Amino acid sequence: AGTLGDAAAEKGRYFGTAVAAHHLGEADYTGTLDTEFSSVTPENEMKWDALEPSRNTFTYGNADRIVAHAEARGMQVRGHTLVWHSQLPSWVGSLPAADLRSAMNNHITQVMTHWKGKIAAWDVVNEAFQDGGSGARRSSPFQDKLGDGFIEEAFRTARAADPAAKLCYNDYNTDGVNAKSNAVYAMVKDFKQRGVPIDCVGLQSHFNAQSPVPSDYQANIQRFADLGVDVQITELDIEGSGSAQATSYSNVTKACLAVTRCTGITVWGVTDKYSWRSSGTPLLFDGSYQKKPAYAAVLTALGGS
Ligand code: G3I
C-alpha cells in the first residue's frame, strides 16, 4: 500500500492526524489529509473553550466541519477532549463544587450526544497527573473541588452518553515506565478491577531532544494492553530532522505494531507549516507538503511501499 492509512489498515490499524478546521480550505492541506490519513482528531475545535464558551451555550460549528469532512471520506474521528484543565473557560473554574460537578456531567453528556455514534474514541479526561517523580494528580478545578473521583465519574457519564465510543484516558510523558505512567497504570488497573468503564489509554508521544522515544516504549504499551485496554498513540510528533527523526518515527511505529491492542497512531498535525511547536519540524510532511525521510520510514515500518 502506498499511503499511511492504507498501509496501517493492512496491519489492522488506523493512521491519523490532528486537523485544524481553518486549514480545510487549503488544497494542499486537504489533499494530503485525504490521501494519507484514515483518522482525524480536531486539534482545538472540541475543547471546552471551543464548544461551551458560556454555561449551557454550545457552539459546534468548527468541530462539525471536521466531523463532516471525515465522515464524507470514511475517516474515523477521535474526540479531543472532554475534561481538561487547559482551554477551560473561566466560568467553569470559578464554579463551586456542586455546580462544577453538574457542569462537567452536562458538558460530557451534551457534547457526546451531539455526535452520538460518530466518534470512534473520546479522550474523556486529558492530563490529570503531575509531571515529575511523584505520580500525584495534577491540580485543576476538577481535582481540587471534586477530588480523585472526578475521573471515574467522567468515564461513567461518558459511557452513558455514547456507548459506541471507546473511552480513553490521555496523557503525555507517560510513554516510558516512570512515576507518571505508573500512576496512570494503577488507575487503569483499579478501573478495570472495579468495572469502571474505560476502553483505552492514549499516549500522546510528543518527543524531542529532552524527551526522546524511551527504550521501554514497547514494554510500556504492552503493559497497558495487558490490563485489557487498547493503547492509542494520540499526538505523535518528534522534534528533529533527517535520518535521526526518521529512525525515531520508525521505532514508534514498530513498537505499536508489536502490540496487538495498539490500535493506531495519530500524528499531531499534517505539516510542519502548522505544527504547534512553532519553531519545530516534528511532522511527516515539510512546510511545502513534501514527504520527509520520516514519512518513508513510517511507511516502510507499516509494511507499505
Ligand atoms: O482561537 C484563538 C484565537 O481566537 C486567538 O486569536 C488566538 C491568538 O490568541 O488564539 C487562538 O487560540 C489558540 C488555539 O491553539 C487555537 O489556535 C490558543 O491561543 C493556543 O494556545 C492553542 O494552542 C493549542 C494548545 O494545544 C493549547 O490548547 C495548540 O494549537 C494545540 O496543538 C495543542 O495541543 C495540545 C493537545 O490539545 C493536548 N496535548 C498537548 C498538545 C500540545 O500542547
Side-chain angles (χ1 to χ4, degrees):
T3 68
L4 299 171
D6 288 350
E10 287 181 11
K11 299 288 188 190
R13 273 74 172 199
Y14 65 82
F15 202 98
T17 181
V19 170
H22 58 278
H23 297 317
L24 287 176
E26 184 182 331
D28 283 342
Y29 186 87
T30 50
T32 305
L33 168 64
D34 296 350
T35 302
E36 293 292 338
F37 298 100
S38 55
S39 177
V40 302
T41 304
E43 185 171 7
N44 291 289
E45 294 78 357
M46 288 188 181
K47 292 170 181 174
W48 197 317
D49 64 342
L51 291 184
E52 191 183 2
S54 54
R55 192 170 189 182
N56 243 337
T57 301
F58 291 89
T59 52
Y60 295 114
N62 288 328
D64 280 337
R65 277 187 66 195
I66 295 173
V67 173
H69 186 96
E71 268 198 321
R73 291 155 182 82
M75 301 170 180
Q76 75 164 23
V77 180
R78 293 194 80 261
H80 173 81
T81 178
L82 293 167
V83 181
W84 187 29
H85 66 280
S86 182
Q87 304 300 103
L88 199 59
S90 54
W91 69 266
V92 180
S94 54
L95 292 175
D99 279 317
L100 179 63
R101 185 174 189 180
S102 66
M104 180 187 79
N105 289 323
N106 184 57
H107 184 77
I108 292 168
T109 304
Q110 296 286 338
V111 168
M112 290 185 76
T113 302
H114 180 73
W115 290 296
K116 188 168 183 171
K118 298 184 174 198
I119 307 295
W122 271 104
D123 292 331
V124 176
V125 174
N126 192 43
E127 303 177 9
F129 289 89
Q130 281 182 25
D131 270 321
S134 71
R137 289 289 186 87
R138 173 197 298 271
S139 171
S140 72
F142 307 103
Q143 180 67 40
D144 302 346
K145 291 179 184 173
L146 306 181
D148 283 353
F150 88 91
I151 299 181
E152 172 173 344
E153 180 153 10
F155 275 86
R156 290 188 185 280
T157 301
R159 180 64 96 223
D162 185 357
K166 285 192 181 292
L167 306 182
C168 304
Y169 174 78
N170 193 51
D171 216 326
Y172 68 92
N173 288 350
T174 51
D175 308 294
V177 178
N178 57 45
K180 190 175 184 183
S181 64
N182 287 342
V184 175
Y185 182 87
M187 178 184 74
V188 174
K189 184 174 183 180
D190 168 56
F191 280 11
K192 295 303 284 184
Q193 281 172 343
R194 291 190 297 115
V196 178
I198 184 167
D199 308 303
C200 103
V201 169
L203 304 180
Q204 290 183 15
S205 296
H206 292 292
F207 296 122
N208 56 30
Q210 291 71 35
S211 52
V213 181
S215 55
D216 56 3
Y217 189 58
Q218 182 178 323
N220 189 48
I221 296 171
Q222 186 67 60
R223 71 166 179 161
F224 279 106
D226 292 345
L227 288 176
V229 292
D230 291 344
V231 176
Q232 297 183 352
I233 311 303
T234 52
E235 306 182 14
L236 179 61
D237 53 23
I238 307 178
E239 268 301 340
S241 61
S243 60
Q245 182 181 57
T247 300
S248 295
Y249 264 103
S250 179
N251 291 341
V252 168
T253 305
K254 288 173 182 171
C256 179
L257 291 178
V259 180
T260 306
R261 292 199 70 170
C262 184
T263 57
I265 298 172
T266 297
V267 288
W268 203 241
V270 173
T271 166
D272 286 340
K273 185 178 177 183
Y274 299 127
S275 170
W276 69 287
R277 289 191 187 277
S278 50
S279 63
T281 58
L283 296 170
L284 299 177
F285 291 85
D286 70 16
S288 308
Y289 296 94
Q290 300 307 302
K291 295 171 181 174
K292 298 162 60 178
Y295 172 94
V298 171
L299 187 63
T300 300
L302 289 170
S305 58

